[in-house]
Amino acid sequence: MRRKHRHLARRALAALIALSMPMVLLAAEESFPHPDTPESELMYKGAPTEVPAEEREFIRTDPDMTQAEWDQAREIYFQRCAGCHGVLRKGATGKPLTTDITRERGLDYLKVFINYGSPAGMPNWGRSGELSEKEVDVMARFLQHEPPQPPEFGMEAMRNTWKVLVAPENRPKEKQNDLNLDNLFSVTLRDAGQIAIIDGDSKEIVNIIDTGYAVHISRLSASGRYLYVIGRDAKVDLIDLWMEEPTRVASIKIGMEARSVETSKYQGYEDRYAIAGAYWPPQFVIMDGDTLEPRTIVSTRGMTVDTQEYHPEPRVAAIVASHQHPEFIVNVKETGKILLVNYEDIENLQVTSIGAARFLHDGGWDASERYFLTAANNSNMIAVVDSKERELLKLVDVGQIPHPGRGANFIDPEYGPVWATGHLGDETIVLIGTDPTEHPDNAWKVVRTLKGQGGGSLFLKTHPESDNLWVDTALNPDAEISQSIAVFDLNNLDAGYEVLPIAEWADLGEGPKRVVQPEYNFAGDEVWFSVWNGKEQISALVVVDDQSHKLKKVIKDERLVTPTGKFNVYNTQQDVY
């Protein structure tokens, strides 16, 4: 009997390890075998071990779920929820979903919340049609179960996934195509696990490239030759834009879930290194810029900046490359710390920690590229870092859950240079003064607050050649708001905004049709929008004339599956926003 009990206990433990987000089992099988390590040593060291297939079973607890329902819910959670609520569901941009909360709320409450969302940025997954009634029910039950912790992902696991598809010595010595690289767009095809390279001049698709799932961002090397993309599944792909047809030349998986990648830009280090930050495991890795070979991994687990309590899942959010020092600036979401990672000697890495506020998320440079402004979104603050002096200048109180993307820089007619952010939790657009030399009284203060369409704003954008500020509200639960765009006249901000029916112009038929992420072309005279529909529905890109606000082009193609983020090569390379 004792032997039977021990066997059942071992099977239960194995099941807890196995029940993780998508691809954990595959990664565990491929990346953590220890065939030559004695069992006694494994027990002593706590090394991760392969889970036998026959022991991968689901443990039923209340509320009951079948194995198929569990697998389905786990997949949905990874695709739609983990980015905001965390792998361990402890919350950040989204609220905590730990079982002490979800069980108290109960099944009916959770179903309503998943169905209808909230003005604070929670999408209306059910009402929009993205989740069926049955899927909503499955998710409401899933959230009342304890989340299993996925395994770690270290150097051996990374190197097992690393591939150089075209060696640097076999790549072109000069550009082999006639493309205007400055006006290329890298467009995320979220649910297809691809990006589309689109010619901004002709509006034609140049190539569709397989990548990781749900590419979060695209970044350009300092030279503008290499495009780096990272998926939510933590897969990094390196694309050479000089080749006759832009093509992947290297790839690596740096964890289970991720969002950020960047390349070295300081003089003398151009294109030398790349860095990628993971949500799980909480860590970042520095790689060779032309091959993605992993060189050093740094964990971000540690104490929170405010309560000084240990946090097991401090995820890496935005990363930017300093123009003032050979450093990457790394946001650590849950601990509220901004890391200055000096890459002069990656074998003896120097990391300086700056305490800011929780939960750090996205952000960007001011127009001078000296000051980094970044959202501590659940603290309702913007942190301002002087990258030259390497210090925190100010924590600026703003609206509810700021979400700037990279923000927007322009000249306010009354207050001078400003940087703007929108919010997930309210309708405000906040302008912060950014010129401590010519406008010291306005620097690092909220100088103006505009009222937009509503909460749920993900991105706003302007351009040095434009007199407009474009603001999306993609996550607002009101379809009329999420399917349109607000545009402000920078010369007459008090006049309010004009609403343009972007989704209506796309003429797509049924679906949620969220309008997301304005992005300028190289010249600054066009603004591109994604009309993000369901995976099985028609999506599109809509191009608007910046000056007249008139429809210029609708780009439709069956290959444009769930387009979301768009990144103009020149604007991304040069930090123009």
Side-chain angles (χ1 to χ4, degrees):
M1 287 296 293
R2 290 179 181 175
R3 181 178 300 173
K4 181 179 180 181
H5 288 162
R6 285 198 301 269
H7 177 67
L8 290 173
R10 289 178 64 187
R11 292 183 67 166
L13 176 61
L16 285 174
I17 295 171
L19 297 173
S20 179
M21 59 186 176
M23 292 178 290
V24 168
L25 293 177
L26 178 61
E29 289 177 356
E30 293 181 348
S31 307
F32 301 117
H34 292 268
D36 301 320
T37 308
E39 184 176 356
S40 59
E41 185 177 348
L42 288 175
M43 294 175 66
Y44 174 73
K45 291 184 176 181
T49 59
E50 179 180 5
V51 180
E54 65 272 12
E55 296 188 359
R56 296 174 194 153
E57 57 186 64
F58 168 54
I59 301 175
R60 287 184 170 84
T61 59
D62 188 50
D64 194 19
M65 299 181 73
T66 66
Q67 178 71 58
E69 287 175 331
W70 178 268
D71 292 340
Q72 178 189 34
R74 191 179 58 184
E75 179 79 14
I76 292 172
Y77 187 83
F78 168 68
Q79 292 181 357
R80 305 297 185 190
C81 315
C84 287
H85 298 285
V87 173
L88 304 182
R89 304 188 201 153
K90 294 183 179 294
T93 304
K95 294 182 180 298
L97 295 174
T98 49
T99 53
D100 60 317
I101 297 171
T102 58
R103 289 171 182 170
E104 181 183 352
R105 297 290 190 267
L107 183 68
D108 290 339
Y109 175 94
L110 294 172
K111 287 167 69 172
V112 169
F113 195 65
I114 296 168
N115 254 313
Y116 292 96
S118 77
M122 169 74 176
N124 53 341
W125 296 116
R127 197 178 69 166
S128 69
E130 294 197 42
L131 295 182
S132 68
E133 183 178 347
K134 182 178 179 180
E135 289 171 330
V136 169
D137 176 72
V138 167
M139 291 305 298
R141 284 183 282 140
F142 174 77
L143 293 175
Q144 295 176 72
H145 291 258
E146 292 290 343
Q149 178 169 309
E152 301 298 316
F153 204 91
M155 183 61 78
E156 180 182 0
M158 287 188 197
R159 295 192 75 90
N160 285 342
T161 70
W162 172 51
K163 298 177 182 177
V164 178
L165 305 173
V166 181
E169 60 270 22
N170 295 328
R171 297 173 197 166
K173 306 307 179 192
E174 57 185 20
K175 192 162 78 80
Q176 298 296 301
N177 56 61
D178 296 326
L179 297 170
N180 176 10
L181 297 189
D182 285 342
N183 206 30
L184 281 186
F185 286 78
S186 172
V187 180
T188 296
L189 306 180
R190 187 187 190 280
D191 292 349
Q194 298 172 324
I195 64 162
I197 303 294
I198 299 182
D199 184 344
D201 296 338
S202 68
K203 314 295 188 296
E204 298 292 330
I205 296 175
V206 174
N207 198 13
I208 301 288
I209 299 174
D210 292 333
T211 60
Y213 172 78
V215 164
H216 192 273
I217 58 173
S218 299
R219 291 290 180 261
L220 273 297
S221 65
S223 67
R225 171 177 184 168
Y226 290 119
L227 173 68
Y228 300 78
V229 299
I230 187 166
R232 281 284 309 283
D233 58 0
K235 184 171 182 284
V236 182
D237 288 291
L238 177 62
I239 297 163
D240 188 351
L241 299 179
W242 279 13
M243 300 185 81
E244 185 174 354
E245 183 178 72
T247 305
R248 287 191 313 136
V249 293
S251 68
I252 190 171
K253 190 167 163 54
I254 59 101
M256 303 297 170
E257 186 186 1
R259 78 175 296 280
S260 295
V261 67
E262 182 61 289
T263 69
S264 53
K265 292 184 176 179
Y266 189 69
Q267 186 175 2
Y269 291 89
E270 297 91 340
D271 295 16
R272 185 179 301 184
Y273 296 121
I275 181 173
Y279 269 13
W280 188 271
Q283 62 192 27
F284 61 84
V285 57
I286 296 177
M287 305 161 282
D288 285 337
D290 59 352
T291 65
L292 301 183
E293 179 177 5
R295 300 291 296 278
T296 186
I297 305 170
V298 178
S299 172
T300 54
R301 290 184 173 99
M303 314 307 285
T304 60
V305 71
D306 42 16
T307 58
Q308 296 290 295
E309 294 174 304
Y310 178 77
H311 199 291
E313 191 192 0
R315 298 172 288 172
V316 177
I319 304 175
V320 297
S322 174
H323 301 274
Q324 307 293 328
H325 300 281
E327 291 179 336
F328 295 117
I329 301 178
V330 178
N331 277 352
V332 184
K333 185 188 290 280
E334 279 76 10
T335 58
K337 295 178 180 178
I338 299 171
L339 307 182
L340 308 181
V341 181
N342 187 292
Y343 50 75
E344 287 180 290
D345 181 1
I346 63 171
E347 304 301 327
N348 299 282
L349 205 63
Q350 295 185 6
V351 180
T352 301
S353 179
I354 297 176
R358 297 193 288 176
F359 293 88
L360 293 168
H361 193 59
D362 51 355
W365 295 108
D366 80 306
S368 74
E369 297 183 342
R370 171 173 173 173
Y371 302 103
F372 177 54
L373 296 95
T374 186
N377 48 33
N378 270 21
S379 296
N380 300 327
M381 293 177 175
I382 296 294
V384 183
V385 172
D386 182 344
S387 69
K388 182 177 182 179
E389 299 299 329
R390 308 174 75 247
E391 63 183 6
L392 180 73
L393 289 180
K394 191 75 176 289
L395 292 173
V396 183
D397 291 321
V398 291
Q400 185 178 355
I401 315 180
H403 195 287
R406 306 197 85 181
N409 291 298
F410 56 92
I411 306 296
D412 183 284
E414 183 175 352
Y415 299 104
V418 295
W419 178 92
T421 181
H423 297 83
L424 285 169
D426 65 39
E427 73 276 16
T428 62
I429 297 101
V430 166
L431 279 54
I432 297 173
T434 59
D435 182 6
T437 303
E438 299 296 330
H439 299 81
D441 293 341
N442 300 330
W444 322 131
K445 299 175 183 177
V446 175
V447 296
R448 191 190 296 268
T449 299
L450 307 174
K451 183 177 180 180
Q453 290 199 85
S457 175
L458 289 175
F459 303 101
L460 74 175
K461 192 64 66 76
T462 188
H463 188 279
E465 299 300 320
S466 173
D467 291 323
N468 295 310
L469 175 67
W470 303 80
V471 185
D472 74 18
T473 39
L475 295 188
N476 194 286
D478 186 327
E480 187 175 344
I481 294 175
S482 66
Q483 294 179 8
S484 58
I485 200 80
V487 54
F488 291 83
D489 180 351
L490 297 181
N491 297 313
N492 189 13
L493 291 168
D494 292 332
Y497 56 85
E498 177 185 355
V499 176
L500 301 183
I502 303 296
E504 181 182 319
W505 288 350
D507 190 24
L508 299 179
E510 295 182 352
K513 300 188 290 290
R514 294 187 178 96
V515 174
V516 63
Q517 202 202 34
E519 176 75 347
Y520 275 87
N521 64 343
F522 166 69
D525 57 11
E526 293 177 354
V527 191
W528 291 41
F529 300 93
S530 297
V531 184
W532 171 19
N533 222 351
K535 184 177 181 179
E536 305 303 323
Q537 295 159 324
I538 301 171
S539 294
L541 300 177
V542 173
V543 182
V544 177
D545 183 272
D546 178 68
Q547 186 172 359
S548 69
H549 304 176
K550 301 297 184 182
L551 175 65
K552 193 168 183 178
K553 175 78 173 180
V554 176
I555 305 174
K556 289 183 183 179
D557 191 294
E558 63 181 9
R559 296 173 291 173
L560 294 178
V561 178
T562 58
T564 52
K566 301 163 301 305
F567 302 88
N568 173 267
V569 164
Y570 181 86
N571 294 337
T572 304
Q573 176 194 2
Q574 300 294 331
D575 293 311
V576 176
Y577 36 81

